[in-house]
Amino acid sequence: MALTKRIIPCLDVSGGKTVKGIHFAEMVIMGDPIIMAKQYAIEGADELVFLDISATIEQRKTFAKLVSQIAHEIDIPFTVGGGIQSISDVEVLLKAGADKISINSAAIKNPQLLTELNKQFGSQCIVLAVDAKCIDGVSYIFSNAGKVFTGIKTIDWVKQAESSGVGEILLTSIDHDGTKEGFALELIDTISNAMSIPVIASGGAGNAYHFKTLFASTNCDAALAASIFHNGNLSLPDLKISLKNNNINVRL
Amino acid sequence: MKIVIVDYNVGNINSVFFALQRLGVNAIVSDDASVITSADKVILPGVGTANFAMQSLCKKGLDKVIINLTKPVLGICLGMQLLCEHSEENDTPCLGVFKHKVKRFSGTLKVPQMGWNTINNLIGPLFENLDESAYQYFVHSYYVGLNSQTIATTNYLIDYSAALQFENFYGVQFHPEKSSKPGSLILKNFINL
């Protein structure tokens, strides 16, 4: 027995509802995040991620309340993120009961923030979310929900973040997100092998085979997916049994 | 039954509080020595770094309060490590209830260990009705080796202590408050000690 590979359903939340966009656009309402989260926990989700994609301050307040509700009701670890700008944003969410926070654009704007967060809260609760896109064969990071080209190479950014004390990398391939055609295997393998901290792969999950291929061919630690679970196209128990049958070590 | 969670500015106090609430227990979160001393059960949670946590305990004068408790005490994760003698994390002297040293993982695997792992060779009432090799959620970079006070083992690169016990003191390296049903069973067993 050993540490298992984690399967992580992700819930994008806006105005208190779970939504899903394709290629970081076009939102569709999927359901109530608490009900969905509870169901996923029962079905064997190893962790959950809740991303606040609200546009307004009013909706953001709703999110902090939701985090507290999740913490009351869910008995597995969960990460929250989306729009985190400052140490005080992080403090509010951790106090509300989140186990980890994920940070993205704010860290790109101010990399020093990662060092400060590590110092104040410890690396174990700081997840760096990275949105990567391939341009002419080179992977670059994008900020502001995948909209803004930064010119920073993905590998350079995750290396820098690791040395700043980030505890985990959530790596989303913008090219693969929403396509349901499989994970960005090459990118994920490159980044996982370059890191001594855990890497969560995200973007492109369409069926159980994609997860199997991901874990069999890369060194990543966890896989995150959203719509494939929300739509009911793939159930967590079926996925985990299928992985187990393919000699991938998962918690059943 | 008065269950007190020691409040000393560490990360997962609310998680432990909520987990107990799900078991129908309203715990008291306190840094008051008299409240802690009069408790039936005391939980020492902990997420963060050893030196910062020890400083925080000592500043509140809780180091001596904790080591002199005679009722069951449960240290969780960093809380368990603080009950040991010394941590390699910033070379920190700890409470010394468990006469062991806390070491950093070294080798080829990723650190921190983050995720679900099994706990094995379970001994004693903390694990009553729990299946051997039950999964628990771990997040840590430092560990305690196997020793005569080990009451559960796990493996990440090496075999080490998933749980320790000495007299009324218990420690678990994992997070029962975040480990679904098998975790809440351990918390329930602790409450029922």
Side-chain angles (χ1 to χ4, degrees), chain A residues 112-157:
Chain A
Q112 182 60 29
L113 186 57
L114 295 176
T115 313
E116 286 162 22
L117 288 172
N118 173 37
K119 218 197 260 166
Q120 187 146 349
F121 305 106
S123 64
Q124 79 292 328
C125 63
I126 313 298
V127 180
L128 180 75
V130 176
D131 295 327
K133 193 179 166 97
C134 195
I135 297 168
D136 296 331
V138 179
S139 179
Y140 292 93
I141 58 160
F142 280 65
S143 71
N144 299 67
K147 288 193 220 74
V148 178
F149 176 65
T150 63
I152 304 167
K153 285 182 187 158
T154 307
I155 185 74
D156 294 343
W157 176 231

Side-chain angles (χ1 to χ4, degrees), chain A:
Chain A
M1 292 298 189
L3 182 68
T4 57
K5 300 291 185 183
R6 285 170 283 155
I7 305 296
I8 308 175
C10 175
L11 296 90
D12 287 349
V13 176
S14 181
K17 293 281 179 214
T18 307
V19 297
K20 178 61 189 169
I22 298 166
H23 286 292
F24 290 75
E26 295 171 54
M27 300 303 170
V28 183
I29 290 180
M30 311 294 289
D32 179 297
I34 301 267
I35 293 171
M36 291 172 75
K38 269 188 157 172
Q39 186 60 27
Y40 288 142
I42 290 166
E43 289 177 354
D46 295 306
E47 282 179 30
L48 295 167
V49 170
F50 299 86
L51 294 180
D52 178 17
I53 57 168
S54 301
T56 66
I57 292 167
E58 207 41 53
Q59 286 173 326
R60 288 203 178 281
K61 281 186 193 149
T62 314
F63 187 66
K65 235 183 255 169
L66 179 70
V67 170
S68 160
Q69 242 177 307
I70 296 162
H72 274 91
E73 301 202 26
I74 305 295
D75 59 3
I76 59 170
F78 70 97
T79 302
V80 301
I84 290 174
Q85 299 294 333
S86 64
I87 288 189
S88 65
D89 288 347
V90 170
E91 199 166 9
V92 166
L93 294 169
L94 290 178
K95 276 221 171 109
D99 298 291
K100 312 181 210 179
I101 62 91
S102 92
I103 189 155
N104 190 334
S105 304
I108 298 170
K109 214 157 74 184
N110 172 21
Q112 182 60 29
L113 186 57
L114 295 176
T115 313
E116 286 162 22
L117 288 172
N118 173 37
K119 218 197 260 166
Q120 187 146 349
F121 305 106
S123 64
Q124 79 292 328
C125 63
I126 313 298
V127 180
L128 180 75
V130 176
D131 295 327
K133 193 179 166 97
C134 195
I135 297 168
D136 296 331
V138 179
S139 179
Y140 292 93
I141 58 160
F142 280 65
S143 71
N144 299 67
K147 288 193 220 74
V148 178
F149 176 65
T150 63
I152 304 167
K153 285 182 187 158
T154 307
I155 185 74
D156 294 343
W157 176 231
V158 293
K159 279 288 205 187
Q160 183 188 337
E162 180 179 29
S163 61
S164 304
V166 160
E168 201 169 23
I169 303 286
L170 167 54
L171 178 61
T172 300
S173 167
I174 298 172
D175 303 311
H176 295 72
D177 191 56
T179 64
K180 296 195 168 64
E181 288 170 356
F183 290 92
L185 299 176
E186 207 177 313
L187 172 69
I188 292 158
D189 197 41
T190 305
I191 300 297
S192 307
N193 286 328
M195 297 277 100
S196 60
I197 53 174
V199 173
I200 305 166
S202 157
N207 55 44
Y209 177 77
H210 293 150
F211 288 87
K212 185 223 133 185
T213 313
L214 172 74
F215 290 126
S217 64
T218 79
N219 192 24
C220 81
D221 303 273
L224 178 141
S227 53
I228 184 175
F229 297 131
H230 304 337
N231 293 336
N233 294 343
L234 180 62
S235 82
L236 282 160
D238 286 350
L239 171 60
K240 286 193 143 184
I241 289 164
S242 152
L243 289 172
K244 192 94 181 174
N245 290 341
N246 282 286
N247 297 317
I248 309 289
N249 188 20
V250 289
R251 176 179 69 110
L252 276 178

Side-chain angles (χ1 to χ4, degrees), chain B residues 151-192:
Chain B
I151 54 168
T153 70
T154 187
N155 182 284
Y156 190 64
L157 207 63
I158 53 158
D159 288 325
Y160 65 94
S161 294
L164 298 168
Q165 186 201 344
F166 174 66
E167 296 178 343
N168 57 315
F169 289 89
Y170 296 78
V172 290
Q173 181 58 72
F174 50 87
H175 288 277
E177 76 279 14
K178 283 287 159 182
S179 294
S180 195
K181 288 208 177 73
S184 67
L185 179 57
I186 290 172
L187 290 176
K188 194 171 150 205
N189 287 339
F190 176 71
I191 292 163
N192 292 335

